[in-house]
Amino acid sequence: MQRFLCVSCGHTVSVLPGTRLTYRPLEVGRLQGFFDAQAGVSFGLDPPAGLVEAGCLQRAWKRLLTRVDSLKESFGQILPAELHTAQQLWKELRRGVGLAEEMLRFLARSCKRSLLGDYACLRPAP
Ligand SMILES: [Zn+2]
């Protein structure tokens, strides 16, 4: 992972590869596959998740359930106004934005947020 140091203020910035999630040991493609299955867009992960990965994926989905309003607000016009469940939200995100990697890129650039959390580390240093 690339890390940069600002020599004038001493703040460091880490650059997360587009295939990784903030604070979660999950690969974005696998998360997308799992969320697709949860939303009824696909039939499940291939290869299936092992025990540890399955736990991480379940926790990630549970987290998404709490993020519907915040993500609706972030993506704004990209999403239809009538959206209530995480399943609907995920389906519309896949249709309107595309890959999970693109969602993460949009959120980081436009809102300084992530899919599963609004982490302080994504915001500029004070
Ligand atoms: Zn600085």
Side-chain angles (χ1 to χ4, degrees), residues 6 8-11:
C6 173
S8 55
C9 70
H11 193 74

Side-chain angles (χ1 to χ4, degrees), residues 1 5-6 15 21 39 62-63 71 99 118:
M1 199 181 296
L5 170 72
C6 173
V15 180
L21 284 152
K62 267 193 192 154
R63 180 76 190 154
L71 291 171
L99 299 172
D118 300 334

Side-chain angles (χ1 to χ4, degrees), residues 6 15 52 54-55 68-69 82-84 99 113:
C6 173
V15 180
V52 174
V68 176
D69 287 339
E82 284 301 301
L83 261 182
H84 303 290
L99 299 172
R113 285 176 162 173

